[in-house]
Structure formats: structure tokens, C-alpha cells
Amino acid sequence: TLFRSDPVEFMASDAHGQRAGHLGAHQATFRGSALFSAWADELIAVLAQDIQEAAEKSVRYSGTFHLALSGGSSPVALLQRLAKHHYAFPWKNTHLWLADERCVPLTDPESNFRGLHDHLLQHVRVPYVNIHPMPVHVNQRLCVEEDRGAELYATEISKLVHNASFDMVLLGVGLDGHTASLFPHSPEAESASLVVLTESPNKPHQRMSMSLLALIKAR
């Protein structure tokens, strides 16, 4: 997992390594960006500050900030810090999206949206119309392809997000190498659609996920 009690590595937001002084020795590089090691609480604090600075910059430039978040346990501490320590965050100009969702009701403890709600949304003032859960529950059914939930979400992204390019996407990486709900050797990862239905080897098996195309378009 990303947030642990032992030092962890992360990819710096600045490719020139301007965070090095805050996060210890330079460890390695990944695709031209610097990697640093940090204790979990320090990493969380810096990531939260980076997100706020990106949000403020985006709001100054375009009036909005579109942030896509993945679920699971990894982002919980980060969401809690944003909720409790970043009172100047431009929430009223922020749109929150999900990079992936489990095909369960949104109130289910397994739901990524439920985690986002419990750890962030109920503590900050984000306009209701700026919150964009994935439509996994359509026509009283969960992730049935004929209900076109993935298409609905892709249409919503195309309508509200310029060039379908999110200002920031926050992702984790599983032990098997999956990110969002795109799993190794999954054909859906290469889809030309922005949003796809996928299948996880772990329960709950059915998922909805932004495609690799959507994720790599992020700024």
C-alpha cells in the first residue's frame, strides 16, 4: 500500500526535484521524474499541499479544478488530512470524480464513493452538483452493460471536463500491478472509450473504471 508506517517512495510532482529538501535523499527516477523516500505522515502532508496548490492554480486559470480519485484504503489518510487541515482549499470550484468503482450500491462499505463520502465529502463544502459518483447502480441493477452506465459517465466527463483531460488523477498501484480497476492483461485497459466495465480477480469482481486513455490524458 502507499501509506505505511515505514519509509515509502513516491514520484515527485516536480520533475526537477524541488521537493528533495523536504523528503530526504533522492532514491531513483521513473520515466524522467524523481522518486523520493518519506515517512507516511510527511508524504501525506506534502501530497495534500501539492493537491491544494494544483487546485488553486487551476481555479485561477480556468475557474474549476477537476480531480479524479481512486478508492481503497491507500488514500484514506490523505483524504482525512485534506478535510481537517486544508481550510483554504477551493472546494466550491472543485469537481470530484472517481477513477474506478466497485459494482456495489454507493452506500455499501465496499463502495469507493462511500469511502470518499465518509473521509472527505461529509467534512467539506463541495457543491452537490460538483460530485460525480460512477453510475454503477442503474435501473436497480449493478453494472449491467445494457444499462450503459459506463457510457453515461463518459458522456458526463466529455461534457464537463475540457478535452476530457482531468487536472489531476490520484491513483494507487496494487501488488499485482493494477491501477484504478485496470488489471494486468485486461483488454479493457486499451479501450478507446473513456470508461469501461472490468473484472477483478478479487471480490467484488465487477468494476467500472476510467480507461488508460482517460487516465493518461490528465494534466
Side-chain angles (χ1 to χ4, degrees), residues 32-72:
S33 294
L35 291 169
F36 296 94
S37 179
W39 294 102
D41 56 350
E42 188 177 10
L43 171 61
I44 291 164
V46 173
L47 283 176
Q49 185 60 36
D50 281 352
I51 294 171
Q52 178 166 333
E53 289 174 3
E56 292 169 344
K57 181 178 179 180
S58 180
V59 169
R60 287 195 301 268
Y61 177 75
S62 65
T64 57
F65 177 59
H66 289 277
L67 173 64
L69 300 162
S70 59

Side-chain angles (χ1 to χ4, degrees), residues 87-152:
Y87 304 112
F89 198 101
W91 293 116
K92 70 177 182 179
N93 304 102
T94 297
H95 285 253
L96 292 171
W97 303 79
L98 285 173
D100 69 313
E101 180 60 280
R102 295 159 177 164
C103 294
V104 297
L106 298 182
T107 55
D108 191 288
E110 293 278 359
S111 167
N112 289 342
F113 179 79
R114 169 71 182 271
L116 178 64
H117 173 270
D118 290 354
H119 299 296
L120 180 66
L121 294 178
Q122 68 176 344
H123 304 292
V124 298
R125 295 184 177 182
V126 180
Y128 178 78
V129 295
N130 289 8
I131 301 169
H132 306 279
M134 280 188 155
V136 295
H137 201 179
V138 180
N139 297 328
Q140 299 183 337
R141 303 189 295 184
L142 290 167
C143 292
V144 176
E145 189 170 359
E146 291 78 9
D147 292 332
R148 303 173 64 183
E151 291 181 40
L152 290 172

Side-chain angles (χ1 to χ4, degrees), residues 203-217:
K203 293 183 178 180
H205 297 296
Q206 287 184 298
R207 309 287 178 94
M208 184 180 291
S209 179
M210 289 186 185
S211 66
L212 184 61
L213 172 67
L215 297 177
I216 64 176
K217 284 169 68 73

